[in-house]
Amino acid sequence: MLTQSSTAEKHRRKSLGAFRDSLRPLTPVHNKGGGGDPKKLKRHSFFSSSSLSSNPPSPNLDNDETSESPKSRPRVLTKAEKRPSSFFGSLRSLKSMEDEERLAMAGSKASSIEDATTEFGNGTELGGKQVLQHGEVQTTGGMFRKKTQYLVLTESNLIRFKSRHKASEVFSSISSGRNSTLPRHTPGSSYGSLPDMQVLLQPVEGYSVISLESIIAVYRLDDGKPYFSIEIAYLDEISGNASSMILQITEFRECEKWLTTIRTASQAMHMQFPPAFSQRSVNHAAIALERERDYDPHHFQMFSVVQRSNNKSASRSSSEDLAKLCSTICYLVVGLNKVHLVPLPRSSNRASSSSLNELEKASSFGITTLIQIYGLAEDDAFQLVFRVPLRQEMAIYLASSAAREIIQCLRHASEFLRPEWLEQPYSVDAPEEWADELERVYSSEQDLNCFDRTLSAYCAGYGIDTSNIRYEVDYECEDAPCFRLLYPGRRRGYTNLELIAIIRSLRYNEYFGSISFADISLDPICNLRDSFGIDIGYLTTRSGSLTNIVEDLRTPTILLQELRALALKSKKLRRLDFSNSISRIPLQDDSRRDPGCGIPEALFPLCCRHLTNVDWVILNGIKLGDTDLDYLVDAAAQKACHLRALEVSNCGLRDHELDLILTAMYHQENTLEAIDISANQVRLNPETFQDRIGHFGHIRRINLSRTQRTSGSGSLISPETLLAWRLEEMDFSGTALNEQTVDSISVYLSSPQSATLRLMKFDQCSLTGKDVATFMHCMCRTPGHLRDLHLHVSQNRLGENYSEIFDAIAQDATPTRLTMKMIDYKKEEHFRILADALRRNTTLRYLDISKASLPYDASDETCDVLRQMFAENNTLQELNISGEHAHLDIARFGIGLNHALTGLRMNTSLKVLRIEYQKLGLQGANTLASVLEENCGLEEIYCDHNEINLQSFTVLVNGLKRNRTVLFLPVMEHDRNESIQKVEREIQAADVGPQRATPLSTLSTAKAVRRSFSAALGSKTNIATSSVSGYTVQDVQAALNSLNEKWDAQTERLRRYLVRNFRIVNGVSGEPPEWIDELNESRPVTATSIGQVLNRVKIDTTPTLERELDFMNIKTGE
């Protein structure tokens, strides 16, 4: 037997899986049960302080008669001292007081009536040495029958006698006179705790005993009757018998006296003999938790409780209504994430009933959904209230002599699941000694401050699949580390409960400095209100004081509650990114005020009152309403807010709204670091705009992309304004820059004030080659000196004055990173000049010239210059020369690129090569394979979308076998799918039938399939038509399956080679795994083999191929 707080097993219990039969139902308190072995009991202090921190061992499930374990578990229970035999074991032959009160005997020995008479002489063996209280009361018996009995309470037992005279015969301290302790109860109707009321031990003539060890709970029963009732529930863990008894008393004082005395005596007995659980019961509870996927041997606490009825009506009379008034004895088990009410294991002598199983159910409640705890010092009753957001609260009414220990256990469990929380989100209405402040026993010094643990607990409580939630942590960004929520694993968006679980798991977390919900839809909780209640966390600060923010009379939205609580509870959190997280259209009706998206309403009032450290709120892509603008302007106008950024890109702002915001932002001149007003419906007036932004002296980032300006020749930003800043990022993409603005930027780049600049974006700014060359010469004041800066000049008119920009590249007047995508070269000669300039450049480390458009495929001369650039440039580390394939435009270099790639054999500096959408095919794959065999510098190669078939892919993998530096090579998933789908489309177009076997009818079909298989394998060898005629659909499908298997085999080879290289590069000790060379170098066979395979399939007699076709390795002539 296990105690209610047992020592934890050191080895984790292996899960039994989630596909077991349903849990046993809750057992009523009067179930008949089979016996157990009393020798398997062991005792441990139930009320000791270690009961909350100790853990039970993994139970032995082989002893459970009602379930099958897939794997036996070793026994971990030890035997304790033998339990004393019950005295009534010697009285089996005596006549019982009433036949309906008979119960099963447990651990008794047969003896004679004479021995019983001797032991009854002074009542010592029967009731103990001291009578604590006695008197006449009315009790309920079997079938709800009410009886008047005489109760005697000793320090070890509660004995029921038929009369006072019978009690006086056993206890000499009780006189045989008329009872004066309790008045006779007025006859009336009464009910028991369940039908078929029983007692634990075998009643004898005039006697019936309840051991105080077996009492689970003693509590008042508020049943609406005109008298006072006490219910006593008890359970014999040996036999599994559960029952209860109701005492009905007319006087309140006498009722209180009985209640207090019985509880005190029972607790004293529990201190001396702590309650214990049988191995069978522990196994039964463990299986129930495993079915809920909540079993952890280190977090397993088990208690016996009574699930009370909450119905106080006294007028019900039907059997169905009476059943609802009954209480149930069960086990309360606190698992890792949930609280479980587990039914008692069915006794061996209890007849099974399928209909009964359907009526009785177990129940589980998430620990994170606990909102209220009620407890009383006067009796053993207590109450737990759980509530999942957007649902009604669920109250469970319980009673247990271990109520205080249960509450403490729940508090410890909640503390473990939310170790960062300074205040747990539930209220405790219990005696002060129960609510003593807990010592911090759980450390949060784990990954992400136990975020995963908290998130798993919330998901378990809300019934959410954790595998659908995806996120990443960025350690390189500003205000790092940054929690970034990613798209869900299986759906297009997160549900409301998933979003609530994620945001609440981030509450109080002091690990993250930034949280990003960018591009994740928060619409499910944007306008959602919980009609069943609110989470009070958004009303108090981290220290617990009220925020005193006046709210709307309506219930706040879930989004407002969660975001405000998130900002209030974290000290480290500085930045929140909501870019494109809410899709809404503001109201255009002037008669109604737009309520806004809710984000400014949730956060900016906190900034105004110094209640949060969040000072960087990104609202890009959210259409702001009137209410949102009011909160934003109000916060911007208060200097105490210390806002660091204004990021309102694509927020639907108009001229007067933007002007109002910039004017209010004047008060943030000492703290504002970033301005992003791009993609709004505004036309910037240079003079007015200069006046608005000229006050800010600490701007690090400015984004004016996709904005329009009024007509005029003035500069959009004056040189004086730029020189006053210490810019790190500048973005003017999509904004036309006139000559004056280019000059202003050039002056800034020539100044030492621009030394901090790291990013410049001028895509689609109508810049010419001369303008870009001017920027390059200004930023590189010393030729050959590396300027760590990334310059974007894509989609500009670089063909104009192209020689100037190419000369700047050849003269090393470039930053370390340059992006020139989607450049339209009017002549092939222009691109050849660029390649030659790159050959001589020594300052570029990153170059992106992808999607370049030539008038025709590159000539041999141009490709040879490109080959020389690959071979002679020893400073470039990352190169992107990918093409583009669109419906109306194709940008690639042509077949001559294969020759140019041979120059990479001598290159030693290039680490990353991107060469997608260039139609490399088999010839390009052979070239790359030869490069891999000789190159010792490449680490990553991106070559998807190049019409790579199985043969080409195998060639690449063969080349990787001799390479020791490449760490990434794609598995060509897109090319593989295209290759297989091409075969399937050809077959479907041919309309192949299962019986098409005549040469004339299969002529065109054979040719189509021949071409398809040839393309899939990468061979141009012709196949005779007769060799593929007369095949069936099953034959073709078998060939396709074999083709997929060959792809899988090469993919596995690729994975193994990459693992080997990773071990070598990172200095992993030991030789490479033996399985590296298990798959020998191989190449796909020719199309002649395909014909032989199809001929071989043709003569197969089975209707469908059930054996594997050795599709690729059949030799010619077999």
Side-chain angles (χ1 to χ4, degrees):
M1 241 188 226
L2 287 182
T3 61
Q4 298 199 16
S5 60
S6 306
T7 305
E9 183 186 4
K10 294 183 179 180
H11 301 286
R12 184 178 182 88
R13 179 187 182 89
K14 184 178 180 181
S15 175
L16 295 180
F19 301 98
R20 279 209 178 99
D21 297 334
S22 58
L23 289 177
R24 296 277 162 115
L26 291 178
T27 306
V29 296
H30 303 95
N31 290 340
K32 298 180 181 180
D37 187 359
K39 296 182 179 181
K40 293 184 179 180
L41 289 172
K42 85 171 181 179
R43 304 184 181 277
H44 192 278
S45 177
F46 179 74
F47 296 97
S48 62
S49 60
S50 63
S51 63
L52 297 179
S53 58
S54 60
N55 308 296
S58 179
N60 182 4
L61 303 182
D62 294 333
N63 295 336
D64 197 325
E65 301 175 3
T66 61
S67 63
E68 296 182 3
S69 174
K71 183 176 180 181
S72 61
R73 293 175 172 79
R75 294 180 180 272
V76 295
L77 302 179
T78 58
K79 295 182 179 181
E81 297 181 0
K82 184 177 179 181
R83 185 185 182 97
S85 300
S86 172
F87 173 77
F88 287 99
S90 62
L91 303 177
R92 290 178 181 268
S93 60
L94 295 181
K95 184 178 180 180
S96 62
M97 180 169 55
E98 293 186 16
D99 292 338
E100 68 266 22
E101 292 182 344
R102 293 185 179 275
L103 291 176
M105 297 289 293
S108 59
K109 296 182 178 180
S111 62
S112 63
I113 300 179
E114 289 78 11
D115 295 335
T117 306
T118 302
E119 293 177 355
F120 268 159
N122 55 12
T124 301
E125 295 296 332
L126 174 64
K129 299 180 180 180
Q130 182 181 5
V131 176
L132 302 179
Q133 186 169 346
H134 61 93
E136 186 179 83
V137 297
Q138 285 194 348
T139 63
T140 56
M143 298 303 294
F144 303 103
R145 294 181 61 182
K146 179 176 59 178
K147 301 175 295 297
T148 299
Q149 295 181 325
Y150 200 88
L151 262 61
V152 178
L153 175 65
T154 68
E155 70 272 16
S156 59
N157 294 302
L158 180 63
I159 308 102
R160 292 186 289 179
F161 293 92
K162 187 175 182 180
S163 63
R164 179 169 182 154
H165 175 72
K166 293 293 185 180
S168 64
E169 292 178 355
V170 178
F171 297 97
S172 58
S173 60
I174 301 177
S175 62
S176 58
R178 185 176 180 274
N179 174 38
S180 59
T181 304
L182 296 176
R184 181 68 174 257
H185 186 274
T186 304
S189 62
S190 64
Y191 60 87
S193 58
L194 272 183
D196 299 327
M197 181 70 68
Q198 299 171 346
V199 292
L200 273 179
L201 301 179
Q202 177 73 26
V204 298
E205 185 178 2
Y207 308 96
S208 175
V209 178
I210 300 174
S211 173
L212 296 185
E213 297 179 50
S214 63
I215 291 180
I216 296 176
V218 182
Y219 56 95
R220 298 185 186 89
L221 188 63
D222 190 3
D223 53 7
K225 298 291 183 177
Y227 43 77
F228 305 99
S229 300
I230 301 174
E231 183 164 6
I232 304 172
Y234 42 93
L235 169 67
D236 185 2
E237 191 63 37
I238 302 176
S239 63
N241 291 325
S243 185
S244 69
M245 176 178 65
I246 298 177
L247 309 183
Q248 298 174 347
I249 307 169
T250 56
E251 293 187 4
F252 175 75
R253 291 184 179 179
E254 291 297 334
C255 178
E256 289 296 306
K257 185 177 180 180
W258 275 108
L259 177 65
T260 303
T261 308
I262 295 175
R263 287 189 67 218
T264 303
S266 175
Q267 291 175 0
M269 182 59 67
H270 288 161
M271 292 292 293
Q272 184 178 2
F273 301 104
F277 295 106
S278 66
Q279 179 70 69
R280 181 169 176 267
S281 299
V282 175
N283 293 342
H284 175 71
I287 291 175
L289 266 65
E290 282 191 337
R291 286 170 179 162
E292 293 287 331
R293 300 184 179 183
D294 193 44
Y295 178 78
D296 185 337
H298 301 288
H299 301 277
F300 183 96
Q301 296 290 333
M302 188 172 176
F303 305 90
S304 297
V305 298
V306 178
Q307 187 173 8
R308 302 180 289 119
S309 170
N310 189 38
N311 199 316
K312 301 181 180 181
S313 174
S315 60
R316 299 181 182 270
S317 59
S318 66
S319 59
E320 180 180 356
D321 292 336
L322 287 174
K324 294 180 181 179
L325 300 176
C326 302
S327 301
T328 303
I329 292 180
C330 58
Y331 295 128
L332 185 144
V333 186
V334 181
L336 178 60
N337 297 313
K338 296 181 180 180
V339 179
H340 307 264
L341 292 180
V342 181
L344 301 180
R346 183 179 300 169
S347 302
S348 58
N349 62 350
R350 176 180 173 183
S352 62
S353 172
S354 60
S355 61
L356 184 61
N357 290 336
E358 294 174 357
L359 295 176
E360 300 173 338
K361 296 180 181 179
S363 55
S364 301
F365 308 89
I367 296 176
T368 54
T369 64
L370 181 64
I371 59 173
Q372 290 177 338
I373 298 176
Y374 296 103
L376 298 174
E378 293 78 11
D379 63 4
D380 295 333
F382 65 101
Q383 178 182 343
L384 303 177
V385 182
F386 300 87
R387 194 177 82 87
V388 176
L390 307 175
R391 300 176 188 172
Q392 288 184 338
E393 65 182 29
M394 175 67 69
I396 54 175
Y397 303 88
L398 305 171
S400 175
S401 57
R404 178 175 180 177
E405 285 67 32
I406 293 174
I407 293 175
Q408 293 294 329
C409 179
L410 289 175
R411 296 181 64 194
H412 275 273
S414 180
E415 175 90 4
F416 173 77
L417 297 178
R418 291 175 289 217
E420 287 283 287
W421 288 51
L422 300 181
E423 183 179 0
Q424 296 296 323
Y426 56 80
S427 60
V428 179
D429 185 3
E432 294 183 0
E433 59 271 17
W434 291 21
D436 292 340
E437 185 174 354
L438 295 177
E439 297 181 1
R440 191 176 183 85
V441 295
Y442 299 112
S443 173
S444 61
E445 296 179 359
Q446 297 183 7
D447 291 344
L448 312 182
N449 284 12
C450 302
F451 170 76
D452 287 338
R453 179 198 301 176
T454 306
L455 179 60
S456 298
Y458 272 106
C459 290
Y462 296 169
I464 298 171
D465 184 3
T466 55
S467 63
N468 191 52
I469 299 176
R470 299 171 58 249
Y471 68 89
E472 67 179 7
V473 180
D474 187 358
Y475 295 93
E476 303 298 331
C477 63
E478 295 183 5
D479 297 324
C482 174
F483 172 89
R484 184 172 290 110
L485 186 62
L486 305 178
Y487 287 107
R490 292 182 301 278
R491 294 190 301 271
R492 301 183 64 180
Y494 291 104
T495 64
N496 47 27
L497 286 180
E498 286 174 336
L499 292 173
I500 294 174
I502 294 169
I503 299 176
R504 290 189 179 180
S505 300
L506 292 168
R507 196 183 297 182
Y508 283 101
N509 192 295
E510 292 300 302
Y511 186 83
F512 303 111
S514 304
I515 296 176
S516 173
F517 299 101
D519 301 319
I520 300 300
S521 177
L522 299 180
D523 292 337
I525 60 174
C526 180
N527 295 314
L528 183 64
R529 288 178 167 81
D530 193 347
S531 59
F532 300 104
I534 62 173
D535 178 64
I536 62 174
Y538 84 102
L539 297 175
T540 58
T541 64
R542 182 180 176 89
S543 60
S545 58
L546 292 175
T547 59
N548 295 322
I549 298 177
V550 179
E551 300 289 351
D552 192 351
L553 296 179
R554 296 183 304 169
T555 302
T557 63
I558 297 293
L559 179 67
L560 185 146
Q561 295 182 47
E562 297 302 328
L563 293 184
R564 183 170 292 180
L566 178 64
L568 282 169
K569 307 303 182 181
S570 176
K571 294 188 300 182
K572 186 176 180 179
L573 185 61
R574 299 291 303 277
R575 184 185 307 228
L576 287 170
D577 187 354
F578 300 100
S579 300
N580 305 308
S581 61
I582 296 179
S583 57
R584 63 183 302 272
I585 300 177
L587 295 177
Q588 302 297 330
D589 188 2
D590 296 335
S591 61
R592 297 176 56 191
R593 184 174 180 80
D594 186 89
C597 66
I599 297 176
E601 182 181 1
L603 300 177
F604 289 132
L606 305 181
C607 299
C608 297
R609 294 167 174 79
H610 304 282
L611 298 178
T612 181
N613 290 328
V614 175
D615 51 16
W616 195 308
V617 181
I618 303 176
L619 301 173
N620 298 335
I622 302 176
K623 305 302 181 183
L624 301 180
D626 296 336
T627 304
D628 297 325
L629 294 175
D630 289 345
Y631 283 105
L632 175 57
V633 172
D634 182 55
Q638 298 190 34
K639 190 174 183 178
C641 286
H642 304 295
L643 297 180
R644 293 192 296 150
L646 173 64
E647 298 206 36
V648 288
S649 172
N650 192 25
C651 289
L653 300 179
R654 291 165 290 187
D655 291 333
H656 71 280
E657 294 171 341
L658 179 60
D659 185 69
L660 180 63
I661 294 174
L662 291 176
T663 303
M665 278 288 175
Y666 170 78
H667 298 85
Q668 313 299 323
E669 58 178 337
N670 295 325
T671 59
L672 196 65
E673 302 176 12
I675 297 177
D676 185 355
I677 56 175
S678 60
N680 283 295
Q681 303 172 4
V682 297
R683 293 178 61 88
L684 298 180
N685 185 302
E687 296 181 1
T688 305
F689 184 66
Q690 292 282 350
D691 182 64
R692 295 290 183 266
I693 66 174
H695 301 287
F696 308 117
H698 303 280
I699 299 296
R700 297 187 298 111
R701 294 170 48 190
I702 185 168
N703 188 345
L704 301 179
S705 62
R706 293 175 292 170
T707 58
Q708 298 180 356
R709 51 164 293 170
T710 59
S711 60
S713 59
S715 173
L716 186 59
I717 299 182
S718 65
E720 293 78 15
T721 301
L722 292 174
L723 291 173
W725 296 342
R726 303 282 291 182
L727 286 177
E728 297 176 4
E729 297 181 13
M730 178 190 299
D731 190 354
F732 288 87
S733 299
T735 301
L737 300 181
N738 57 11
E739 183 178 353
Q740 290 76 14
T741 305
V742 172
D743 293 341
S744 296
I745 296 175
S746 300
V747 171
Y748 174 69
L749 292 176
S750 302
S751 171
Q753 288 293 108
S754 66
T756 58
L757 197 60
R758 296 291 177 265
L759 177 64
M760 295 178 62
K761 288 187 176 182
F762 297 108
D763 300 330
Q764 292 182 304
C765 291
S766 300
L767 298 177
T768 64
K770 179 181 179 181
D771 296 332
V772 176
T774 302
F775 289 160
M776 288 183 176
H777 287 292
C778 291
M779 69 177 65
C780 299
R781 296 178 294 276
T782 303
H785 176 72
L786 294 179
R787 179 68 185 270
D788 187 14
L789 188 148
H790 194 164
L791 176 62
H792 292 256
V793 289
S794 302
Q795 295 180 275
N796 282 294
R797 297 182 289 113
L798 302 185
E800 300 180 17
N801 307 111
Y802 65 91
S803 59
E804 297 191 28
I805 183 175
F806 295 161
D807 290 342
I809 294 175
Q811 297 170 10
D812 292 338
T814 61
T816 56
R817 297 184 296 278
L818 177 63
T819 298
M820 297 193 305
K821 297 190 299 183
M822 301 182 71
I823 303 300
D824 186 10
Y825 298 93
K826 301 298 182 182
K827 297 181 180 180
E828 181 192 358
E829 179 186 3
H830 298 169
F831 181 77
R832 184 164 60 249
I833 297 175
L834 172 62
D836 185 67
L838 293 173
R839 179 180 63 85
R840 293 180 287 171
N841 182 273
T842 60
T843 56
L844 282 174
R845 299 294 181 266
Y846 171 93
L847 176 64
D848 185 354
I849 54 174
S850 61
K851 302 180 182 181
S853 178
L854 302 180
Y856 42 81
D857 289 352
S859 64
D860 293 341
E861 182 182 359
T862 300
C863 291
D864 189 66
V865 174
L866 192 59
R867 181 192 61 80
Q868 295 178 25
M869 187 271 290
F870 287 145
E872 299 179 17
N873 187 302
N874 292 318
T875 58
L876 200 61
Q877 298 179 0
E878 185 170 351
L879 175 63
N880 189 346
I881 55 173
S882 299
E884 181 183 24
H885 180 74
H887 293 290
L888 301 178
D889 189 18
I890 297 177
R892 61 177 184 271
F893 296 131
I895 195 172
L897 180 62
N898 296 327
H899 171 67
L901 291 176
T902 59
L904 291 173
R905 297 173 182 172
M906 295 174 286
N907 188 285
T908 58
S909 63
L910 196 63
K911 303 297 182 183
V912 180
L913 174 63
R914 297 179 181 272
I915 186 170
E916 300 176 329
Y917 294 103
Q918 290 291 355
K919 280 194 173 183
L920 295 179
L922 179 59
Q923 183 178 353
N926 282 318
T927 303
L928 277 180
S930 64
V931 169
L932 289 176
E933 292 177 354
E934 301 182 27
N935 185 281
C936 299
L938 281 172
E939 297 178 357
E940 301 177 18
I941 301 177
Y942 299 85
C943 53
D944 276 323
H945 308 279
N946 274 299
E947 298 184 359
I948 300 294
N949 50 39
L950 178 58
Q951 183 177 4
S952 305
F953 185 52
T954 306
V955 168
L956 284 174
V957 177
N958 289 341
L960 188 62
K961 181 179 181 180
R962 296 179 178 86
N963 185 281
R964 296 296 187 271
T965 60
V966 173
L967 301 178
F968 177 82
L969 187 70
V971 296
M972 312 295 179
E973 192 66 29
H974 178 270
D975 296 278
R976 171 180 178 172
N977 294 336
E978 285 292 327
S979 178
I980 301 299
Q981 290 174 8
K982 184 175 181 181
V983 176
E984 294 176 348
R985 288 193 299 268
E986 292 286 350
I987 295 174
Q988 292 174 0
D991 192 20
V992 179
Q995 302 299 329
R996 297 175 183 267
T998 61
L1000 293 178
S1001 62
T1002 59
L1003 181 60
S1004 61
T1005 299
K1007 291 182 179 179
V1009 176
R1010 178 194 63 199
R1011 292 193 301 268
S1012 301
F1013 277 113
S1014 299
L1017 292 170
S1019 175
K1020 297 182 179 180
T1021 306
N1022 293 327
I1023 307 174
T1025 301
S1026 60
S1027 64
V1028 293
S1029 61
Y1031 56 87
T1032 65
V1033 173
Q1034 290 83 0
D1035 301 335
V1036 175
Q1037 186 61 46
L1040 292 176
N1041 292 339
S1042 181
L1043 188 63
N1044 275 311
E1045 291 172 1
K1046 290 300 180 180
W1047 273 100
D1048 293 336
Q1050 298 305 320
T1051 301
E1052 178 61 19
R1053 287 185 64 212
L1054 172 63
R1055 186 188 67 83
R1056 293 181 177 184
Y1057 292 146
L1058 294 179
V1059 171
R1060 177 202 61 189
N1061 293 354
F1062 178 83
R1063 292 167 56 90
I1064 295 174
V1065 171
N1066 291 276
V1068 179
S1069 60
E1071 296 295 328
E1074 298 178 357
W1075 45 254
I1076 289 295
D1077 295 321
E1078 286 182 1
L1079 296 175
N1080 295 326
E1081 178 177 338
S1082 59
R1083 294 179 183 272
V1085 294
T1086 62
T1088 304
S1089 301
I1090 300 298
Q1092 293 177 353
V1093 169
L1094 293 176
N1095 287 333
R1096 181 174 178 179
V1097 170
K1098 177 181 177 182
I1099 62 176
D1100 197 299
T1101 58
T1102 57
T1104 58
L1105 294 180
E1106 298 178 355
R1107 71 177 187 274
E1108 178 181 3
L1109 293 178
D1110 192 5
F1111 177 56
M1112 304 300 301
N1113 295 327
I1114 300 177
K1115 296 181 180 180
T1116 305
E1118 285 186 352

